[in-house]
Amino acid sequence: MSSEISVLQVALGERAYEIHIGAGLLGQGGEILGRVLRQPRAIVVTDQNLERTRHPKHLMETLTRAGVDAHMLVVPAGEASKSMSQLERLLEDMLALNVERKVTVVALGGGVVGDLAGFAAAVLLRGVDFVQVPTTLLAQVDSSVGGKTGINSRHGKNLIGAFHQPRLVLVDTDVLDDLPPRELRAGYAELVKHAFIRDPALFDWLEEQRARLFAGDSDVRREAIHRSLAIKAAIVAEDERETTGTRALLNFGHTFAHAYEALAGYGEGLLHGEAVALGMTRAFELSVRLGLCPAAEAERARTHLDAVGLAVRSREVRNAIFPAEGLLEAMQRDKKVEAKRLTFVLSHGIGKAALHRDVPEADLRAVLDADA
Ligand SMILES: NC(=O)c1ccc[n+]([C@@H]2O[C@H](COP(=O)([O-])OP(=O)(O)OC[C@H]3O[C@@H](n4cnc5c(N)ncnc54)[C@H](O)[C@@H]3O)[C@@H](O)[C@H]2O)c1
Ligand SMILES: [Zn+2]
């Protein structure tokens, strides 16, 4: 095991923060967190699946050793916890602890815990500090950084939320050892997405290293997460609130992905990262069809995702069907479709993504038909 730690900065002026990445970092949680706490009080939020691992106890122990008065709150595991009722329960439980504005909320978990606890921190006493300790690969390379927090509505996912940047992100690569392989693969889709958007050298490296990453090599995991997050951190620093279009690049593959998820019913049948792998494959195909991306580059991307064990054709997804018509309708309903214009992040080759408006529906339909 390696003891090396990488540190990344998210350059957001007075909201700037550090991301620490390394194996076994949870053990130093108290010490590292201690540097950002405004008061030695923390509320750790986690979920019931994680509660069964040693990680919450481990984190609580190091906080206590560092002299932090820490309290733990547990929410049910799964997407359903990103709800108004869970938010209410969480906020009332926090207030019952007589918290003050200098308290820090610590989200220990995947994207569900991070989004829910982050949003609770954004509104508790009009906003308290929060720290992300992401425990899924998806949360480690994506949701823990960037400040998007929130819950779902019956009208759609993530429709109620706030921008609330964490004060610190602590990534312990060891926690991935407990993660089900399927969740690891799903998170990997978001990891490689950042290479597809902006970093061809990272993709070259991942082609060589991915087997080691999946086999649990902590140095490879640390470097892969660091390089992938560096891209997300840079894009967030350039366009914190998605106003200039740069941050929209992070949605590569996502217009398709959201449509697949809508048709699959947002359940266990198709995980978000799995939908992103399908979506990125379609985005590459559409880019080739529009003459933007060399076919060989799209093929390299598809081969890579396939080798990881991610579905690249919709028929590989069990118990779900994705008719082109249904996908097109779902895309029209997506909040990211501006005034009915079909806007996509497309690829000009691996490492070169760009936003395109007014993509002809006929080309989109042709890509979906070719996969069906
Ligand atoms: N805020 C953002 O910018 C952003 C970005 C992407 C995704 N998201 C959100 O993230 C959520 C998905 O996150 P996710 O994929 O991490 O899902 P998740 O939080 O539901 O975690 C997946 C599963 O793994 C379990 N788990 C977590 N860590 C574990 C570990 N170390 N060992 C064993 N089991 C573990 C969880 O209990 C859960 O069952 C979605 O709600 C999505 O909307 C947010
Ligand atoms: Zn995503």
Side-chain angles (χ1 to χ4, degrees):
M1 196 204 284
S2 153
S3 58
E4 260 191 80
I5 296 172
S6 309
V7 181
L8 261 170
Q9 311 282 340
V10 186
L12 283 170
E14 60 185 16
R15 288 182 305 287
Y17 53 98
E18 288 183 348
I19 306 168
H20 292 234
I21 311 158
L25 261 192
L26 220 52
Q28 300 168 47
E31 189 191 315
I32 304 172
L33 250 96
R35 292 182 220 141
V36 301
L37 298 190
R38 293 202 286 156
Q39 175 191 53
R41 275 202 80 181
I43 302 172
V44 176
V45 181
T46 195
D47 76 22
Q48 282 169 348
N49 284 343
L50 274 155
E51 201 187 11
R52 287 192 277 274
T53 69
R54 65 198 180 287
H55 310 306
K57 193 160 165 272
H58 196 179
L59 180 62
M60 295 298 281
E61 281 166 6
T62 110
L63 286 169
T64 307
R65 250 184 285 127
V68 178
D69 172 18
H71 201 96
M72 191 166 88
L73 297 175
V74 183
V75 300
E79 188 69 28
S81 280
K82 280 176 55 174
S83 67
M84 210 53 112
S85 57
Q86 273 308 326
L87 176 73
E88 181 182 7
R89 196 166 307 162
L90 193 57
L91 288 169
E92 295 293 353
D93 288 351
M94 287 174 173
L95 290 166
L97 296 168
N98 286 317
V99 289
E100 296 165 36
R101 285 208 56 196
K102 286 183 177 167
V103 72
T104 296
V105 171
V106 180
L108 173 69
V112 165
V113 167
D115 282 10
L116 173 68
F119 187 43
V123 295
L124 180 72
L125 305 174
R126 297 199 183 82
V128 302
D129 283 351
F130 97 109
V131 168
Q132 289 270 23
V133 187
T135 62
T136 61
L137 185 57
L138 182 135
Q140 294 191 343
V141 297
D142 192 356
S143 61
S144 64
V145 170
K148 284 190 180 176
T149 70
I151 58 174
N152 304 325
S153 146
R154 84 171 83 92
H155 298 284
K157 272 195 58 159
N158 301 322
L159 294 181
I160 302 159
F163 280 102
H164 191 51
Q165 297 290 346
R167 295 264 292 139
L168 173 77
V169 181
L170 205 70
V171 179
D172 183 346
T173 54
D174 281 351
V175 304
L176 298 177
D177 292 340
D178 295 302
L179 197 66
R182 185 178 171 204
E183 295 284 352
L184 195 67
R185 286 194 294 273
Y188 184 83
E190 301 276 19
L191 189 156
V192 71
K193 178 191 76 181
H194 295 143
F196 289 151
I197 293 169
R198 256 207 194 167
D199 194 345
L202 174 57
F203 184 70
D204 293 345
W205 183 80
L206 287 170
E207 280 186 315
E208 285 166 21
Q209 302 291 339
R210 80 164 162 81
R212 286 194 192 92
L213 185 148
F214 280 95
D217 183 314
S218 13
D219 286 324
V220 171
R221 283 183 174 176
R222 191 192 65 248
E223 184 169 347
I225 292 166
H226 180 106
R227 291 175 70 171
S228 181
L229 265 183
I231 296 157
K232 171 135 194 195
I235 290 177
V236 166
E238 283 165 45
D239 182 17
E240 185 182 6
R241 294 193 167 217
E242 211 162 322
T243 44
T244 67
T246 308
R247 188 162 177 167
L249 296 178
L250 295 171
N251 290 325
F252 181 58
H254 278 60
T255 302
F256 288 104
H258 292 149
Y260 284 117
E261 285 183 287
L263 262 63
Y266 299 102
E268 284 297 300
L270 185 68
L271 301 178
H272 175 69
E274 293 171 337
V276 170
L278 281 173
M280 292 192 297
T281 310
R282 293 298 88 73
F284 271 114
E285 289 163 359
L286 183 57
S287 307
V288 171
R289 189 178 166 89
L290 295 172
L292 303 170
C293 175
E297 295 272 286
E299 182 55 23
R300 247 180 105 193
R302 197 190 59 81
T303 305
H304 185 77
L305 295 170
D306 184 51
V308 162
L310 286 158
V312 290
R313 287 187 194 83
S314 58
R315 75 180 87 97
E316 292 167 34
V317 180
R318 256 181 283 149
N319 303 324
I321 45 160
F322 301 104
E325 207 52 48
L327 290 167
L328 282 167
E329 266 170 40
M331 283 182 209
Q332 297 289 359
R333 282 196 305 267
D334 193 323
K335 66 177 167 160
K336 287 189 178 72
V337 177
E338 297 169 18
K340 302 240 166 188
R341 295 167 84 190
L342 286 167
T343 301
F344 283 86
V345 181
L346 295 174
S347 175
H348 294 241
I350 286 164
K352 285 174 272 178
L355 204 59
H356 286 262
R357 294 208 163 80
D358 294 319
V359 169
E361 192 178 318
D363 291 295
L364 175 59
R365 192 180 287 271
V367 164
L368 295 174
D369 283 337
D371 175 59

